[in-house]
Amino acid sequence: MENLHNIRKVYQKSELVEDQVKESPFEMFKLWLDDAKNDADVAEFTAMNVSTIDEDACPRTRVILLKEFSEEGFVFYTNYNSKKGISIASNPKACLHFFWPSQERQITIKAVLEKTSAAESDLYFYSRPRGSQLGAIVSPQSSVIPGRDFLRERLEEVEKKFEDKKIQRPPYWGGYMAKPYEIEFWQGRPNRLHDRLVYYRTEEGDWRIERLAP
Ligand SMILES: Cc1cc2nc3c(=O)[nH]c(=O)nc-3n(C[C@H](O)[C@H](O)[C@H](O)COP(=O)(O)O)c2cc1C
């Protein structure tokens, strides 16, 4: 058995204290996202884990890129017929999770997902490079396929079909807006006594902040 008992890091880069945090979790999120963006050691600062609940009640997590965020929520794009799409149709709750190791920070967001409007999905779809647009049509995301050739052949077909034509966004591809009701900011600290501040959305639509033990 591989023993990893002695693998550990001391977290001491920063701190998260009540009198410095923003009232709005979205402002906090923006600060931390900007820090990650400006950190050359963060390879993909918009990459997040998105967990949904499968039909067997087990969570499933995959990496997705965050594409927009505002006071309304966090938006990502995907295939509505994928495993995640099927899970979301029966349980629209999801957990979004960012971990930026060099920042010694994680953010955990519990949210309810809603599909973005067709107009919003169009806006992003048509902003993507043509190759990515074709990819969305070629790949029946999460379905079993006979082999790599299937994708190559479909790509050739679709390229021929849309030669010199605008590629239409398929109706099964679009965005989800994750509307958060709980957002935790975690900052690593020495002796495993990390900072954890959680914003809970109140019935009035404000945010209540609480500190959790690490
Ligand atoms: C860095 C990275 C970024 C990704 N971004 C997306 C994305 O924006 N949308 C997407 O549908 N899949 C994205 N994927 C692929 C997903 O992780 C996943 O494999 C795919 O969405 C199928 O998931 P599902 O079968 O659980 O529905 C990304 C993967 C990685 C590693």
Side-chain angles (χ1 to χ4, degrees), residues 77-81 115-126 128-141 154 158 161-162 166-175:
Y77 291 88
T78 192
N79 185 313
Y80 293 140
N81 296 334
K115 281 184 185 173
T116 55
S117 67
E120 281 170 276
S121 295
D122 280 349
L123 207 61
Y124 176 60
F125 184 80
Y126 295 119
R128 302 177 87 207
R130 196 173 164 86
S132 306
Q133 294 179 2
L134 290 172
I137 294 171
V138 165
S139 169
Q141 196 177 57
R154 288 254 302 199
V158 172
K161 185 172 162 198
F162 287 104
K166 183 176 174 181
I167 300 163
Q168 291 297 314
R169 176 180 63 85
Y172 54 80
W173 193 97

Side-chain angles (χ1 to χ4, degrees), residues 20-205:
Q20 287 169 12
V21 300
K22 303 283 181 192
E23 246 174 67
S24 157
F26 299 103
E27 273 183 61
M28 273 303 294
F29 182 82
K30 166 94 177 103
L31 277 181
W32 280 25
L33 190 74
D34 282 347
D35 285 345
K37 179 182 174 179
N38 296 325
D39 182 345
D41 291 329
V42 176
E44 297 233 42
F45 75 98
T46 60
M48 58 183 178
N49 293 304
V50 175
S51 302
T52 51
I53 303 294
D54 271 357
E55 277 163 347
D56 63 356
C58 183
R60 171 185 290 274
T61 303
R62 75 289 285 163
V63 178
I64 302 270
L65 298 181
L66 176 71
K67 289 295 170 185
E68 291 137 41
F69 84 93
S70 68
E71 297 266 321
E72 224 191 319
F74 304 87
V75 177
F76 63 87
Y77 291 88
T78 192
N79 185 313
Y80 293 140
N81 296 334
S82 62
K83 274 185 196 280
K84 76 184 90 48
I86 290 165
S87 297
I88 294 164
S90 61
N91 181 346
K93 285 189 171 170
C95 185
L96 278 45
H97 179 259
F98 294 83
F99 174 43
W100 298 301
S102 53
Q103 292 285 316
E104 302 175 355
R105 285 173 174 170
Q106 64 176 330
I107 301 178
T108 309
I109 300 168
K110 286 173 80 176
V112 178
L113 303 187
E114 283 173 18
K115 281 184 185 173
T116 55
S117 67
E120 281 170 276
S121 295
D122 280 349
L123 207 61
Y124 176 60
F125 184 80
Y126 295 119
S127 78
R128 302 177 87 207
R130 196 173 164 86
S132 306
Q133 294 179 2
L134 290 172
I137 294 171
V138 165
S139 169
Q141 196 177 57
S142 316
S143 301
V144 176
I145 54 173
R148 185 85 211 163
D149 282 349
F150 170 89
L151 296 176
R152 192 181 42 77
E153 286 160 17
R154 288 254 302 199
L155 181 61
E156 281 170 11
E157 267 171 44
V158 172
E159 270 173 339
K160 226 175 264 165
K161 185 172 162 198
F162 287 104
E163 216 178 9
D164 311 322
K165 285 200 209 95
K166 183 176 174 181
I167 300 163
Q168 291 297 314
R169 176 180 63 85
Y172 54 80
W173 193 97
Y176 286 104
M177 154 80 71
K179 296 189 163 182
Y181 57 94
E182 190 183 306
I183 307 185
E184 175 182 330
F185 294 85
W186 183 102
Q187 178 74 60
R189 299 293 302 272
N191 303 319
R192 298 297 182 254
L193 296 178
H194 315 298
D195 286 327
R196 299 179 64 186
L197 292 184
V198 190
Y199 290 72
Y200 299 96
R201 193 195 280 281
T202 66
E203 293 206 346
E204 296 75 42

